[in-house]
Amino acid sequence: MRCVVANWKMNLTSDEAKAFCEDLLGRFAPGAGTEAGIAPPFTLLHQVSGLVRSKGIQVFGQNGHAEPKGAFTGEVSMPQLRDAGCSGVILGHSERRQLFGETDAALAKKVKAAWQWDLLPLLCIGETLEQRDAGQTLEALGQQLSILAETGPGPLWVAYEPVWAIGTGRRAEAAQVREAHAFIRTELQRHLAGTEYQVPILYGGSVTPENFPELLGIPEVAGGLVGGASLDSRKFAELVRQAG
Ligand code: G3H
């Protein structure tokens, strides 16, 4: 299975989202076995899911709270994401970890809450530039995946996103991606041994239609989590086409 997910981050208005979806659907031609997803801001979830879910495009929240409801001003819960048309939720994006102090302990709770509400977690992991320069890349990835020892097994997608490659135009080199994805696969096999879960490992970080075909040729790269390039419906449609 190949997966391509658009992470719109804090971008697009209602009119812009409508234009994007209409244009995308006119071009949308996924291959058999390719899953496409869009993660809009919370304000656009209802609208986007109404436009694309019937075409087989999944809708993801960009975050979700571990508690189902309560006094958590500014937060959105997993059942609210489901209610808005989501089938999955991005968890642990590096921007949430770095800018909003999201911890592995909090993420373990969120993954469990997502499962409880039948949402597919798309767990993001990745090393900082400091960790890579210090030779701590695999250690960092192993640490971020160790939450699976606490959550136990369940359906999951993982995105490897080197923090230094996000939004920088500096995509990780093939050898770096190969090493990281092979390591992640080994860790997942360890955590999910004896279970039926097949976890696709996506790459994220300055993915474009120009570099995606090379990335897809790397073993264990099952697709992409795309930020900047996913704001252009033509580019996103092309990435989905390439994945197929
Ligand atoms: O979630 C997406 C990633 O943060 C990648 O963003 O494609 O703009 O580098 P980017």
Side-chain angles (χ1 to χ4, degrees):
M1 179 174 68
R2 290 267 178 84
C3 318
V4 188
V5 178
N7 179 8
W8 286 357
K9 307 190 180 183
M10 196 174 71
N11 291 292
L12 303 192
T13 61
S14 178
D15 285 348
E16 290 165 342
K18 181 169 181 282
F20 177 105
C21 293
E22 287 174 354
D23 186 70
L24 174 68
L25 294 176
R27 306 169 186 278
F28 191 60
T34 299
E35 291 277 354
I38 300 176
F42 294 137
T43 52
L44 300 174
L45 285 173
H46 263 295
Q47 178 192 13
V48 170
S49 61
L51 289 167
V52 305
R53 285 220 43 195
S54 63
K55 308 295 181 191
I57 299 175
Q58 299 202 42
V59 177
F60 287 75
Q62 295 180 12
N63 181 32
H65 198 277
E67 295 297 327
K69 63 179 180 178
F72 301 102
T73 300
E75 293 289 318
V76 170
S77 72
M78 303 298 176
Q80 288 173 322
L81 292 179
R82 275 220 70 93
D83 184 53
C86 292
S87 58
V89 57
I90 295 174
L91 293 175
H93 192 281
S94 71
E95 287 147 20
R96 302 259 1 133
R97 294 178 191 263
Q98 295 206 312
L99 304 176
F100 301 98
E102 197 148 274
T103 63
D104 285 328
L107 280 166
K109 290 182 184 159
K110 290 183 176 205
V111 168
K112 285 197 272 192
W115 287 336
Q116 188 180 350
W117 294 95
D118 203 19
L119 289 166
L120 175 72
L122 171 44
L123 179 66
C124 301
I125 61 174
E127 81 286 2
T128 62
L129 189 56
E130 292 69 32
Q131 287 168 325
R132 176 160 285 278
D133 288 346
Q136 296 168 347
T137 296
L138 301 186
E139 188 184 332
L141 300 179
Q143 172 62 37
Q144 289 168 330
L145 283 173
S146 70
I147 66 166
L148 297 176
E150 188 178 332
T151 63
L156 190 72
W157 290 2
V158 168
Y160 167 58
E161 300 203 305
V163 177
W164 46 272
I166 294 175
T168 59
R170 183 183 164 193
R171 198 211 81 189
E173 291 168 17
Q176 295 170 323
V177 177
R178 188 179 304 115
E179 180 190 42
H181 279 237
F183 176 78
I184 293 166
R185 176 60 65 209
T186 303
E187 288 294 285
L188 288 172
Q189 283 167 343
R190 192 164 63 79
H191 286 297
L192 303 177
T195 72
E196 77 273 26
Y197 299 110
Q198 306 285 326
V199 181
I201 308 169
L202 287 60
Y203 168 83
S206 298
V207 170
T208 65
E210 287 69 42
N211 61 35
F212 200 40
E214 186 198 352
L215 286 161
L216 289 169
I218 299 170
E220 297 293 354
V221 173
L225 177 57
V226 190
S230 80
L231 294 169
D232 180 325
S233 52
R234 290 179 182 224
K235 289 184 182 174
F236 185 61
E238 174 59 11
L239 291 166
V240 172
R241 191 196 64 75
Q242 290 173 344

